[in-house]
Coordinates of all heavy atoms in Angstrom, one line a residue:
M153 N 128.1 79.8 101.9 CA 126.9 79.9 100.9 C 126.3 81.3 101.0 O 126.1 81.8 102.0 CB 125.9 78.9 101.3 CG 124.8 78.8 100.3 SD 123.5 77.7 100.8 CE 122.5 78.7 101.8
N154 N 126.1 81.8 99.9 CA 125.5 83.1 99.8 C 124.1 83.0 99.1 O 124.1 83.0 97.8 CB 126.4 84.1 99.1 CG 125.9 85.6 99.3 OD1 124.9 85.8 100.0 ND2 126.7 86.5 98.8
N155 N 123.1 83.0 99.8 CA 121.8 83.0 99.3 C 121.1 84.3 99.4 O 120.8 84.7 100.5 CB 121.0 81.9 100.0 CG 119.5 81.9 99.5 OD1 119.1 82.5 98.5 ND2 118.7 81.2 100.3
G156 N 120.9 85.1 98.4 CA 120.3 86.3 98.5 C 121.0 87.4 97.8 O 122.2 87.4 97.6
N157 N 120.2 88.4 97.4 CA 120.8 89.6 96.8 C 120.3 90.8 97.5 O 119.2 90.9 97.9 CB 120.2 89.6 95.3 CG 120.7 88.5 94.5 OD1 121.9 88.4 94.3 ND2 119.8 87.6 94.1
F158 N 121.2 91.8 97.6 CA 120.8 93.0 98.2 C 119.9 93.8 97.2 O 120.1 93.7 96.0 CB 122.1 93.9 98.5 CG 122.7 93.3 99.7 CD1 123.9 92.6 99.6 CD2 122.2 93.6 101.0 CE1 124.5 92.1 100.8 CE2 122.8 93.1 102.1 CZ 124.0 92.4 102.0
G159 N 119.1 94.6 97.8 CA 118.2 95.4 97.0 C 117.7 96.6 97.9 O 118.2 96.8 99.0
T160 N 116.8 97.4 97.4 CA 116.3 98.5 98.1 C 114.8 98.4 98.1 O 114.2 98.1 97.2 CB 116.7 99.8 97.4 OG1 118.1 99.8 97.2 CG2 116.4 101.0 98.2
C161 N 114.3 98.7 99.3 CA 112.8 98.7 99.4 C 112.3 99.9 98.7 O 112.7 101.0 98.8 CB 112.4 98.8 100.9 SG 110.7 98.9 101.2
R162 N 111.3 99.6 97.8 CA 110.7 100.7 97.0 C 109.9 101.6 97.8 O 109.6 102.7 97.4 CB 109.8 100.1 95.9 CG 110.6 100.1 94.5 CD 109.7 99.6 93.5 NE 109.8 98.1 93.4 CZ 109.0 97.3 92.8 NH1 107.9 97.8 92.1 NH2 109.2 96.0 92.7
S163 N 109.5 101.2 99.0 CA 108.6 102.0 99.8 C 109.4 102.9 100.8 O 109.1 104.0 100.9 CB 107.7 101.0 100.6 OG 107.0 101.7 101.5
C164 N 110.4 102.4 101.4 CA 111.1 103.2 102.4 C 112.5 103.5 102.1 O 113.2 104.3 102.7 CB 111.0 102.5 103.8 SG 112.0 101.0 103.9
G165 N 113.1 102.9 101.0 CA 114.4 103.2 100.6 C 115.5 102.5 101.3 O 116.7 102.7 101.1
R166 N 115.1 101.6 102.3 CA 116.2 101.0 103.1 C 116.8 99.8 102.3 O 116.1 99.2 101.4 CB 115.5 100.4 104.3 CG 115.5 101.3 105.5 CD 115.3 100.5 106.7 NE 114.5 101.3 107.7 CZ 113.9 100.8 108.7 NH1 114.1 99.5 109.0 NH2 113.3 101.5 109.5
Q167 N 118.0 99.5 102.7 CA 118.6 98.3 102.0 C 117.9 97.0 102.6 O 117.7 96.9 103.8 CB 120.1 98.3 102.4 CG 120.8 97.2 101.5 CD 122.3 97.2 101.7 OE1 122.8 97.2 102.8 NE2 123.0 97.1 100.6
I168 N 117.6 96.2 101.7 CA 117.0 94.9 102.1 C 117.8 93.8 101.4 O 118.6 94.0 100.6 CB 115.5 94.8 101.7 CG1 115.3 95.2 100.2 CG2 114.7 95.7 102.6 CD1 114.0 94.8 99.6
L169 N 117.4 92.6 101.8 CA 118.0 91.4 101.2 C 116.9 90.5 100.7 O 115.9 90.4 101.3 CB 118.8 90.7 102.3 CG 119.8 89.6 101.9 CD1 120.9 90.1 101.1 CD2 120.4 89.0 103.2
W170 N 117.1 90.1 99.5 CA 116.1 89.1 98.9 C 116.6 87.7 99.1 O 117.7 87.3 98.7 CB 116.0 89.3 97.4 CG 115.2 90.6 97.1 CD1 115.8 91.8 96.7 CD2 113.8 90.8 97.1 NE1 114.8 92.7 96.5 CE2 113.6 92.2 96.7 CE3 112.7 90.0 97.3 CZ2 112.3 92.7 96.6 CZ3 111.4 90.5 97.2 CH2 111.2 91.9 96.8
I171 N 115.8 86.9 99.9 CA 116.1 85.6 100.1 C 115.2 84.7 99.4 O 114.0 84.9 99.4 CB 116.0 85.3 101.6 CG1 117.0 86.1 102.5 CG2 116.2 83.8 101.9 CD1 118.3 85.4 102.8
R172 N 115.8 83.6 98.8 CA 114.9 82.7 98.1 C 114.5 81.6 99.1 O 115.4 81.0 99.7 CB 115.5 82.0 96.9 CG 114.7 81.0 96.2 CD 115.3 80.6 94.9 NE 115.2 81.6 93.9 CZ 114.1 81.6 93.0 NH1 113.2 80.8 93.1 NH2 114.1 82.6 92.1
T173 N 113.2 81.5 99.4 CA 112.8 80.5 100.4 C 112.8 79.1 99.8 O 112.9 78.9 98.6 CB 111.4 80.9 100.9 OG1 110.4 80.6 99.9 CG2 111.3 82.3 101.4
T174 N 112.7 78.1 100.7 CA 112.6 76.8 100.2 C 111.4 76.5 99.4 O 111.3 75.6 98.6 CB 112.6 75.8 101.4 OG1 111.6 76.2 102.3 CG2 114.0 75.8 102.1
A175 N 110.4 77.4 99.5 CA 109.2 77.3 98.7 C 109.4 77.9 97.3 O 108.5 77.9 96.4 CB 108.0 77.9 99.4
G176 N 110.6 78.5 97.1 CA 110.9 79.0 95.8 C 110.5 80.5 95.6 O 110.5 81.0 94.5
K177 N 110.1 81.1 96.7 CA 109.6 82.5 96.6 C 110.7 83.4 97.0 O 111.5 83.1 97.9 CB 108.4 82.7 97.5 CG 107.1 82.2 96.9 CD 105.9 82.9 97.4 CE 105.6 82.5 98.8 NZ 104.3 83.0 99.3
N178 N 110.8 84.6 96.4 CA 111.7 85.6 96.9 C 111.1 86.4 97.9 O 110.0 86.9 97.7 CB 112.2 86.4 95.7 CG 113.2 85.7 94.9 OD1 114.1 85.1 95.4 ND2 113.0 85.8 93.6
M179 N 111.7 86.6 99.0 CA 111.2 87.3 100.1 C 112.1 88.5 100.6 O 113.3 88.2 100.7 CB 111.0 86.3 101.3 CG 110.1 86.9 102.3 SD 109.5 85.4 103.3 CE 109.2 86.3 104.8
P180 N 111.6 89.7 100.7 CA 112.4 90.8 101.2 C 112.6 90.7 102.7 O 111.6 90.6 103.4 CB 111.6 92.0 100.8 CG 110.2 91.6 100.7 CD 110.2 90.1 100.4
V181 N 113.8 90.8 103.2 CA 114.0 90.7 104.6 C 115.0 91.8 105.0 O 115.7 92.4 104.2 CB 114.7 89.4 105.0 CG1 113.7 88.2 104.7 CG2 116.0 89.1 104.3
D182 N 115.0 92.1 106.3 CA 116.0 93.1 106.8 C 117.4 92.5 106.7 O 117.6 91.2 106.8 CB 115.7 93.5 108.2 CG 114.5 94.4 108.3 OD1 114.0 94.8 107.2 OD2 114.1 94.8 109.4
T183 N 118.4 93.3 106.6 CA 119.8 92.8 106.4 C 120.4 92.3 107.7 O 121.4 91.7 107.6 CB 120.7 93.9 105.7 OG1 120.6 95.1 106.5 CG2 120.2 94.2 104.3
A184 N 119.8 92.7 108.8 CA 120.4 92.3 110.1 C 119.9 91.0 110.5 O 118.7 90.7 110.4 CB 120.2 93.4 111.1
Y185 N 120.7 90.2 111.1 CA 120.3 88.9 111.7 C 119.5 89.2 113.0 O 119.9 90.1 113.7 CB 121.5 88.1 112.1 CG 122.2 87.3 111.0 CD1 123.5 87.5 110.8 CD2 121.5 86.4 110.2 CE1 124.2 86.8 109.8 CE2 122.1 85.7 109.2 CZ 123.5 85.9 109.0 OH 124.1 85.2 108.0
V186 N 118.6 88.3 113.2 CA 118.0 88.3 114.6 C 118.1 86.9 115.1 O 118.0 85.9 114.4 CB 116.5 88.8 114.6 CG1 116.4 90.2 114.2 CG2 115.6 87.9 113.7
D187 N 118.2 86.8 116.4 CA 118.1 85.6 117.1 C 116.7 85.3 117.3 O 115.9 86.1 117.6 CB 118.8 85.6 118.5 CG 120.3 85.7 118.3 OD1 120.8 85.3 117.3 OD2 121.0 86.2 119.2
Y188 N 116.3 84.0 117.2 CA 114.9 83.6 117.5 C 114.9 82.4 118.4 O 115.8 81.7 118.5 CB 114.2 83.3 116.2 CG 114.6 82.1 115.4 CD1 114.1 80.8 115.8 CD2 115.5 82.2 114.3 CE1 114.5 79.7 115.1 CE2 115.8 81.0 113.7 CZ 115.4 79.8 114.0 OH 115.8 78.7 113.4
V189 N 113.7 82.3 119.1 CA 113.4 81.2 119.9 C 112.1 80.6 119.3 O 111.2 81.3 119.0 CB 113.2 81.5 121.4 CG1 114.6 81.7 122.0 CG2 112.3 82.7 121.6
L190 N 112.1 79.3 119.2 CA 110.8 78.6 118.8 C 109.8 78.7 119.9 O 110.2 78.6 121.1 CB 111.1 77.2 118.4 CG 112.1 77.0 117.2 CD1 112.6 75.6 117.0 CD2 111.4 77.5 115.9
P191 N 108.5 78.8 119.5 CA 107.5 78.9 120.6 C 107.4 77.6 121.4 O 107.5 76.5 120.8 CB 106.3 79.2 119.8 CG 106.5 78.8 118.4 CD 108.0 78.9 118.2
K192 N 107.2 77.8 122.6 CA 106.9 76.6 123.5 C 105.5 76.1 123.3 O 104.7 76.8 122.7 CB 107.2 77.0 124.9 CG 108.6 77.5 125.2 CD 109.0 77.4 126.6 CE 110.5 77.7 126.8 NZ 111.0 78.9 126.1
E193 N 105.2 75.0 123.8 CA 103.9 74.4 123.6 C 102.9 75.4 124.2 O 103.0 75.9 125.3 CB 103.8 73.1 124.3 CG 103.2 72.0 123.4 CD 103.1 70.7 124.2 OE1 104.2 70.1 124.4 OE2 102.0 70.3 124.5
G194 N 101.8 75.7 123.4 CA 100.8 76.6 123.8 C 101.1 78.0 123.6 O 100.2 78.9 123.8
E195 N 102.3 78.3 123.2 CA 102.7 79.7 122.9 C 102.5 80.0 121.5 O 102.6 79.1 120.6 CB 104.2 79.8 123.3 CG 104.6 81.1 124.0 CD 106.1 81.1 124.4 OE1 106.9 80.5 123.6 OE2 106.4 81.6 125.4
K196 N 102.3 81.3 121.2 CA 102.1 81.7 119.8 C 103.3 82.4 119.3 O 103.9 83.3 120.0 CB 100.9 82.6 119.8 CG 99.7 82.0 119.0 CD 98.7 83.0 118.7 CE 98.3 82.9 117.2 NZ 97.5 83.9 116.7
A197 N 103.7 82.1 118.1 CA 104.8 82.8 117.5 C 104.3 84.0 116.8 O 103.2 84.0 116.2 CB 105.5 81.9 116.5
T198 N 105.1 85.1 117.0 CA 104.6 86.4 116.4 C 105.4 86.8 115.2 O 105.0 87.7 114.5 CB 104.7 87.5 117.5 OG1 106.1 87.5 118.0 CG2 103.8 87.2 118.7
E199 N 106.5 86.2 114.9 CA 107.3 86.6 113.8 C 107.5 85.5 112.8 O 107.5 84.3 113.1 CB 108.7 87.1 114.3 CG 108.6 88.0 115.5 CD 108.6 89.5 115.0 OE1 108.3 89.7 113.9 OE2 108.9 90.3 115.9
K200 N 107.7 86.0 111.6 CA 108.2 85.0 110.5 C 109.6 85.3 110.3 O 110.0 86.4 109.9 CB 107.4 85.3 109.2 CG 106.0 84.8 109.3 CD 105.9 83.5 108.5 CE 104.4 83.0 108.4 NZ 104.0 82.4 109.7
I201 N 110.4 84.3 110.5 CA 111.9 84.4 110.4 C 112.3 83.6 109.2 O 111.8 82.4 109.1 CB 112.6 83.9 111.6 CG1 112.0 84.6 112.9 CG2 114.1 84.1 111.5 CD1 112.6 85.9 113.3
V202 N 113.1 84.1 108.4 CA 113.7 83.3 107.3 C 115.2 83.0 107.6 O 115.9 83.9 107.8 CB 113.6 84.0 105.9 CG1 114.0 83.1 104.8 CG2 112.3 84.6 105.7
T203 N 115.5 81.7 107.7 CA 116.8 81.3 108.0 C 117.7 81.5 106.7 O 117.2 81.7 105.6 CB 116.9 79.8 108.4 OG1 116.7 79.0 107.2 CG2 115.9 79.5 109.5
P204 N 119.0 81.6 106.9 CA 119.9 81.8 105.7 C 119.7 80.7 104.7 O 120.1 80.8 103.6 CB 121.3 81.7 106.4 CG 121.1 82.2 107.8 CD 119.8 81.6 108.2
N205 N 119.2 79.5 105.1 CA 118.9 78.5 104.1 C 117.6 78.6 103.4 O 117.3 77.8 102.5 CB 118.9 77.1 104.8 CG 120.2 76.7 105.5 OD1 121.2 77.2 105.0 ND2 120.1 76.0 106.5
G206 N 116.9 79.7 103.7 CA 115.6 79.9 103.0 C 114.4 79.2 103.7 O 113.3 79.2 103.1
E207 N 114.6 78.7 104.9 CA 113.5 78.1 105.6 C 112.7 79.2 106.3 O 113.3 80.0 107.0 CB 114.0 77.1 106.6 CG 114.0 75.7 106.1 CD 114.7 74.8 107.2 OE1 113.9 74.4 108.1 OE2 115.9 74.6 107.1
V208 N 111.4 79.1 106.2 CA 110.6 80.1 106.9 C 110.1 79.5 108.2 O 109.4 78.4 108.2 CB 109.4 80.6 106.1 CG1 108.6 81.6 106.8 CG2 109.9 81.2 104.8
V209 N 110.4 80.1 109.3 CA 110.0 79.5 110.6 C 109.1 80.6 111.4 O 109.4 81.8 111.3 CB 111.2 79.1 111.5 CG1 111.9 77.9 111.0 CG2 112.2 80.2 111.7
S210 N 108.1 80.1 112.0 CA 107.4 81.0 112.9 C 108.0 80.9 114.3 O 108.1 79.8 114.9 CB 105.9 80.4 113.0 OG 105.3 80.6 111.8
A211 N 108.4 82.0 114.8 CA 109.2 82.0 116.0 C 109.0 83.4 116.7 O 108.4 84.3 116.1 CB 110.6 81.7 115.8
N212 N 109.6 83.5 117.8 CA 109.7 84.8 118.5 C 111.1 85.3 118.6 O 112.0 84.5 118.6 CB 109.1 84.7 119.9 CG 107.6 84.4 119.9 OD1 106.8 85.1 119.3 ND2 107.2 83.3 120.5
R213 N 111.2 86.6 118.7 CA 112.6 87.1 118.8 C 113.1 86.7 120.1 O 112.5 86.9 121.2 CB 112.5 88.6 118.7 CG 112.5 89.1 117.3 CD 112.9 90.5 117.3 NE 112.2 91.2 116.2 CZ 112.6 92.3 115.6 NH1 113.8 92.7 115.8 NH2 111.9 92.9 114.6
A214 N 114.4 86.4 120.2 CA 115.0 86.0 121.4 C 115.3 87.3 122.2 O 115.7 88.3 121.7 CB 116.3 85.3 121.1
T215 N 114.9 87.2 123.5 CA 115.2 88.4 124.3 C 116.2 88.1 125.3 O 116.8 89.1 125.9 CB 113.8 88.8 125.0 OG1 113.3 87.6 125.6 CG2 112.9 89.4 124.0
G216 N 116.5 86.9 125.6 CA 117.5 86.6 126.6 C 118.6 85.8 126.0 O 119.0 85.9 124.8
E217 N 119.2 84.9 126.8 CA 120.3 84.1 126.4 C 119.9 83.0 125.5 O 120.6 82.6 124.6 CB 121.0 83.5 127.6 CG 121.6 84.5 128.6 CD 123.0 84.8 128.2 OE1 123.9 84.0 128.2 OE2 123.2 86.0 127.9
E218 N 118.7 82.6 125.7 CA 118.2 81.4 125.0 C 117.9 81.7 123.6 O 117.2 82.7 123.2 CB 116.9 81.0 125.7 CG 116.4 79.6 125.4 CD 115.0 79.4 125.8 OE1 114.5 80.1 126.7 OE2 114.3 78.5 125.3
R219 N 118.3 80.8 122.7 CA 118.0 81.0 121.3 C 118.1 79.7 120.6 O 118.9 78.8 120.9 CB 118.9 82.1 120.6 CG 120.3 81.7 120.5 CD 121.1 82.6 119.6 NE 122.0 81.8 118.8 CZ 122.9 82.3 118.0 NH1 122.8 83.6 117.7 NH2 123.7 81.5 117.3
D220 N 117.2 79.5 119.6 CA 117.2 78.3 118.8 C 117.9 78.4 117.5 O 118.2 77.5 116.8 CB 115.8 77.8 118.6 CG 115.1 77.4 119.9 OD1 115.7 76.6 120.6 OD2 114.0 77.9 120.2
G221 N 118.1 79.7 117.1 CA 118.8 79.9 115.8 C 118.8 81.3 115.5 O 118.4 82.2 116.3
F222 N 119.2 81.6 114.3 CA 119.1 83.0 113.8 C 118.7 83.0 112.4 O 118.7 82.0 111.7 CB 120.5 83.7 114.0 CG 121.6 83.1 113.2 CD1 121.8 83.6 111.9 CD2 122.3 82.1 113.6 CE1 122.8 83.1 111.1 CE2 123.3 81.5 112.9 CZ 123.6 82.0 111.6
G223 N 118.2 84.2 112.0 CA 117.7 84.3 110.6 C 117.4 85.8 110.4 O 117.8 86.6 111.1
Y224 N 116.7 86.0 109.3 CA 116.3 87.3 108.9 C 114.8 87.5 109.1 O 114.0 86.6 109.0 CB 116.6 87.5 107.4 CG 118.0 87.4 107.0 CD1 118.4 86.2 106.4 CD2 118.9 88.4 107.2 CE1 119.8 86.1 106.0 CE2 120.2 88.3 106.9 CZ 120.6 87.1 106.2 OH 121.9 87.0 105.8
I225 N 114.5 88.7 109.5 CA 113.1 89.0 109.7 C 112.5 89.7 108.5 O 113.1 90.4 107.8 CB 113.0 89.9 111.0 CG1 111.6 89.8 111.6 CG2 113.3 91.4 110.7 CD1 111.7 89.9 113.1
S226 N 111.2 89.3 108.2 CA 110.6 89.8 107.0 C 110.6 91.3 107.0 O 110.2 91.9 108.0 CB 109.2 89.2 106.9 OG 108.4 90.0 106.0
H227 N 110.9 91.9 105.9 CA 110.9 93.4 105.8 C 109.5 93.9 105.9 O 109.2 95.0 106.3 CB 111.6 93.9 104.6 CG 111.6 95.4 104.5 ND1 112.3 96.2 105.4 CD2 111.0 96.3 103.7 CE1 112.1 97.4 105.1 NE2 111.3 97.5 104.1
F228 N 108.5 93.1 105.5 CA 107.1 93.5 105.6 C 106.7 93.9 107.0 O 105.9 94.7 107.3 CB 106.2 92.5 105.0 CG 106.3 92.3 103.6 CD1 106.4 91.0 103.0 CD2 106.3 93.3 102.7 CE1 106.5 90.8 101.7 CE2 106.4 93.2 101.3 CZ 106.5 91.9 100.8
A229 N 107.4 93.2 107.9 CA 107.0 93.4 109.4 C 107.7 94.6 109.9 O 107.2 95.2 110.9 CB 107.5 92.1 110.2
T230 N 108.8 95.1 109.3 CA 109.6 96.2 109.9 C 109.5 97.4 109.0 O 110.0 98.5 109.5 CB 111.0 95.8 110.1 OG1 111.6 95.5 108.8 CG2 111.2 94.6 111.0
C231 N 109.0 97.4 107.8 CA 109.1 98.5 106.9 C 108.3 99.7 107.6 O 107.1 99.5 107.9 CB 108.5 98.1 105.6 SG 108.5 99.5 104.4
P232 N 108.9 100.8 107.8 CA 108.1 101.9 108.4 C 107.0 102.4 107.5 O 106.1 103.1 108.0 CB 109.3 103.0 108.6 CG 110.3 102.6 107.7 CD 110.3 101.1 107.5
N233 N 107.1 102.1 106.2 CA 106.0 102.6 105.3 C 105.0 101.6 105.0 O 104.2 101.8 104.2 CB 106.7 103.1 104.0 CG 107.5 104.3 104.3 OD1 107.4 105.0 105.3 ND2 108.4 104.7 103.3
A234 N 105.1 100.4 105.7 CA 104.2 99.3 105.3 C 102.8 99.7 105.5 O 101.9 99.3 104.7 CB 104.5 98.1 106.2
A235 N 102.5 100.6 106.5 CA 101.1 101.0 106.8 C 100.5 101.8 105.7 O 99.4 101.8 105.4 CB 101.1 101.7 108.2
Q236 N 101.5 102.5 105.1 CA 101.0 103.4 104.0 C 100.4 102.7 102.8 O 99.5 103.2 102.1 CB 102.2 104.2 103.4 CG 102.4 105.5 104.3 CD 103.6 106.3 103.7 OE1 104.0 106.1 102.6 NE2 104.1 107.2 104.5
H237 N 100.8 101.5 102.6 CA 100.3 100.7 101.5 C 98.8 100.4 101.7 O 98.1 100.3 100.7 CB 101.1 99.4 101.4 CG 102.5 99.5 101.1 ND1 103.0 100.2 100.1 CD2 103.6 99.1 101.8 CE1 104.3 100.2 100.1 NE2 104.7 99.6 101.2
R238 N 98.4 100.3 102.9 CA 97.1 100.0 103.2 C 96.2 101.2 103.4 O 95.0 101.1 103.3 CB 97.0 99.1 104.5 CG 97.5 97.8 104.2 CD 97.2 96.9 105.4 NE 98.0 97.2 106.6 CZ 99.2 96.7 106.9 NH1 99.7 95.8 106.1 NH2 99.9 97.0 108.0
R239 N 96.8 102.3 103.7 CA 96.1 103.5 104.0 C 95.5 104.2 102.7 O 96.2 104.3 101.7 CB 97.0 104.6 104.7 CG 96.1 105.6 105.5 CD 97.0 106.6 106.0 NE 98.0 106.1 107.0 CZ 99.2 106.6 107.1 NH1 99.6 107.7 106.4 NH2 100.1 106.1 108.0
R240 N 94.3 104.6 102.8 CA 93.6 105.3 101.6 C 94.1 106.7 101.6 O 94.2 107.4 102.7 CB 92.1 105.2 101.8 CG 91.6 104.0 101.0 CD 90.1 104.1 100.9 NE 89.5 104.2 102.2 CZ 88.3 104.8 102.5 NH1 87.6 105.3 101.5 NH2 87.8 104.8 103.7
K241 N 94.2 107.2 100.5 CA 94.6 108.7 100.4 C 93.3 109.5 100.3 O 92.3 109.1 99.7 CB 95.4 108.9 99.1 CG 96.8 108.4 99.4 CD 97.9 109.3 98.8 CE 99.2 109.0 99.4 NZ 100.2 108.9 98.3
Ligands
LIG1685 ZN1 110.5 99.3 103.4

């Protein structure tokens, strides 16, 4: 199954992937997969991961062997120019 179209970030010029989420929204994500772990009880998830099926999960990046799945990370979180959008000129 191929859900998503390649595109280019208008802000930083990097290649991104547009994934249609289960909510029907198109979301720009990085093209590389990341492994994620779901937060344990009482833990806070710091990332929004979109699975290849378009499900958005709140999780943390896997740092060790343990992982609950893989998906794409929102490009809004990694775009090097994201801060510029908010900065006043
Ligand atoms: Zn960007």
Side-chain angles (χ1 to χ4, degrees):
M153 188 184 85
N154 192 1
N155 171 17
N157 294 296
F158 285 103
T160 307
C161 175
R162 255 181 275 166
S163 172
C164 70
R166 269 199 217 167
Q167 192 179 43
I168 51 167
L169 195 60
W170 289 97
I171 295 265
R172 182 172 281 271
T173 68
T174 49
K177 283 205 283 187
N178 284 316
M179 195 163 155
V181 296
D182 283 0
T183 54
Y185 282 126
V186 293
D187 288 337
Y188 68 82
V189 284
L190 295 169
K192 303 200 168 47
E193 231 181 286
E195 223 178 30
K196 248 192 128 187
T198 57
E199 309 269 18
K200 285 257 185 288
I201 310 270
V202 191
T203 70
N205 296 331
E207 268 174 82
V208 182
V209 290
S210 292
N212 293 306
R213 279 200 215 210
T215 48
E217 298 275 295
E218 195 192 340
R219 65 166 217 183
D220 292 311
F222 64 91
Y224 299 102
I225 205 145
S226 165
H227 181 65
F228 292 134
T230 62
C231 183
N233 293 344
Q236 275 181 19
H237 299 300
R238 288 189 289 268
R239 200 186 298 150
R240 267 190 303 155
K241 286 222 164 130

